Amino acid sequence: MSRLKNDTFLKAARGGKTNHIPVWYMRQAGRSQPEYRKLKEKYSLFEITHQPELCAYVTRLPVEQYGVDAAILYKDIMTPLPAMGVNVEIKGGFGPVIDQPIRTYQDVERLGQIDPEHDLPFVLDTIRLLTTEQLTVPLIGFAGAPFTLASYMIEGGPSKNYNKTKAFMYSEPRAWFLLMEKLADMTIAYVKAQIHAGASAIQIFDSWVGALNVQDYRNFMKSTMLRIFSELKKENVPLILFGVGASHLIMEWNDLPVDVIGLDWRLEIRDARAMGITKALQGNLDPAVLLAPWEVIEERVSDILTQGITQPGYIFNLGHGIFPDIKPETIKRLTQFIHEFKQ
């Protein structure tokens, strides 16, 4: 039996009309919250995500504190990779580090597939706990997209230019497409398991795919993304696609069977609509604005909301994740302002 008392986010994600503008924030769980910082003094990210009670607490905390219209599962896009045989370490202040980056076709061949119930029970147990006992708003599950995961697996960690990733893509196309096939298989299995455990919507983070131009996206990525979303569409939950610095790709995304396109702050909503984007939209305040005086925040947010509500199917979010310097009271005040904004 569903515990949902607020399905505004789901209505908007499906392009429907809502009584208020729904809002959630990327990285709303963690980072800027004092309670989370206290936990991180004792536990690593992976240690938190492996304890369902603790992970559920972190996930639901922003819903209770800010009054947002959806929760997003607290975990990392790297969470399923160890089950494929990839040794990942999350280094604080730096990001994921992989000690044996992919260099050859044989490296790709060695990657295994995952059985989510066997390999990732802690993720699914957290979802079940949240959706059957704790949340009254939808829970968003998520996964990293193949390009973004591959960039870490090939570079060995974060990158500014993704030169090794592109070089592998151009020079080893057979290995590249095998890697895309294996990551797509993993993503489909992992996301379906999240949905079956109780997630009401899914966001695919293709955080770094903006490093590709349109031609390379069509040649090396689009068929993989089409396969993933075509499979996930069968589960009948809203699907969101988000990337950073990827405004030049959104017409390609508009072709995919996704329900919502998440915009970063580089492209205005009115311009996305003028380009011919027909999907529901999510976004897209620059999170740095939340360090400005309230009058500046209110002005910027009002402009975004005015653009967003020109047609049904709009969800407010940031153009990237909350960062630690943003005060929780600012996020709470912002959420209230959005909910009270006259449509």
Side-chain angles (χ1 to χ4, degrees):
M1 182 177 172
S2 175
R3 300 180 78 255
L4 292 186
K5 293 181 180 177
N6 175 0
D7 64 352
T8 310
F9 160 78
L10 295 177
K11 286 179 180 175
R14 292 189 169 106
K17 293 183 178 181
T18 57
N19 293 326
H20 68 263
I21 298 168
V23 51
W24 69 278
Y25 306 103
M26 288 179 281
R27 293 192 181 134
Q28 65 188 16
R31 305 186 87 187
S32 68
Q33 296 175 299
E35 298 90 343
Y36 173 76
R37 291 185 186 182
K38 193 171 182 181
L39 277 178
K40 282 302 293 288
E41 292 174 6
K42 187 176 180 181
Y43 302 104
S44 69
L45 184 150
F46 277 174
E47 286 170 340
I48 293 173
T49 58
H50 280 66
Q51 299 179 63
E53 289 278 357
L54 195 57
C55 190
Y57 167 73
V58 174
T59 299
R60 73 173 191 270
L61 196 60
V63 179
E64 296 168 356
Q65 289 187 341
Y66 307 142
V68 289
D69 297 282
I72 183 162
L73 187 64
Y74 175 79
K75 59 185 176 69
D76 192 86
I77 62 171
M78 312 306 283
T79 297
L81 292 190
M84 295 183 73
V86 180
N87 185 22
V88 182
E89 182 184 355
I90 306 291
K91 292 195 174 179
F94 183 74
V97 176
I98 293 171
D99 59 4
Q100 293 182 303
I102 285 175
R103 293 288 178 266
T104 66
Y105 185 87
Q106 288 70 31
D107 292 340
V108 178
E109 273 191 316
R110 280 192 286 270
L111 294 172
Q113 275 306 323
I114 68 167
D115 175 352
E117 287 286 354
H118 178 266
D119 298 324
L120 302 162
F122 51 92
V123 174
L124 306 182
D125 287 345
T126 304
I127 293 173
R128 294 182 186 110
L129 184 61
L130 285 161
T131 57
T132 60
E133 297 181 23
Q134 299 182 359
L135 289 177
T136 58
V137 298
L139 176 67
I140 304 168
F142 71 87
F147 179 87
T148 293
L149 294 176
S151 75
Y152 287 108
M153 295 165 74
I154 295 167
E155 303 285 342
S159 173
K160 291 183 178 178
N161 49 40
Y162 305 96
N163 288 343
K164 292 176 184 175
T165 307
K166 291 182 183 182
F168 188 80
M169 186 177 75
Y170 296 140
S171 61
E172 301 284 348
R174 182 164 160 262
W176 175 262
F177 284 110
L178 179 62
L179 179 57
M180 291 301 100
E181 182 182 342
K182 290 198 170 202
L183 288 175
D185 288 344
M186 181 276 289
T187 303
I188 291 165
Y190 182 41
V191 169
K192 284 190 173 185
Q194 291 182 55
I195 295 167
H196 297 164
S200 296
I202 295 294
Q203 177 155 306
I204 300 295
F205 285 88
D206 212 347
S207 304
W208 312 132
V209 78
L212 297 182
N213 64 30
V214 173
Q215 182 180 355
D216 283 343
Y217 186 82
R218 288 174 182 164
N219 291 344
F220 293 101
M221 282 311 313
K222 196 167 184 180
S223 61
T224 299
M225 299 306 290
L226 180 60
R227 179 182 160 225
I228 289 171
F229 284 115
S230 297
E231 277 298 313
L232 298 183
K233 194 72 175 173
K234 298 172 184 176
E235 301 298 322
N236 198 32
V237 303
L239 305 172
I240 309 167
L241 177 56
F242 172 78
V244 180
S247 299
H248 59 295
L249 299 177
I250 63 166
M251 290 306 294
E252 302 301 315
W253 292 359
N254 201 53
D255 292 339
L256 298 171
V258 302
D259 300 283
V260 185
I261 293 175
L263 301 177
D264 75 2
W265 68 89
R266 295 167 178 85
L267 180 68
E268 291 203 336
I269 292 169
R270 64 168 65 92
D271 294 336
R273 291 295 185 205
M275 289 166 66
I277 298 299
T278 55
K279 310 285 188 182
L281 288 177
Q282 176 178 279
N284 63 337
L285 181 72
D286 183 344
V289 172
L290 295 181
L291 299 175
W294 177 253
E295 313 82 72
V296 176
I297 297 172
E298 187 173 315
E299 181 183 1
R300 294 290 187 91
V301 172
S302 295
D303 182 45
I304 290 171
L305 296 177
T306 301
Q307 294 181 49
I309 61 176
T310 54
Q311 65 185 72
Y314 174 64
I315 300 157
F316 184 88
N317 207 313
L318 305 179
H320 204 179
I322 289 172
F323 41 82
D325 295 342
I326 296 171
K327 295 177 180 177
E329 53 265 33
T330 303
I331 303 168
K332 184 174 182 179
R333 186 176 181 184
L334 174 60
T335 306
Q336 184 177 352
F337 176 77
I338 293 161
H339 282 163
E340 294 173 355
F341 189 82
K342 298 302 178 188
Q343 301 194 56

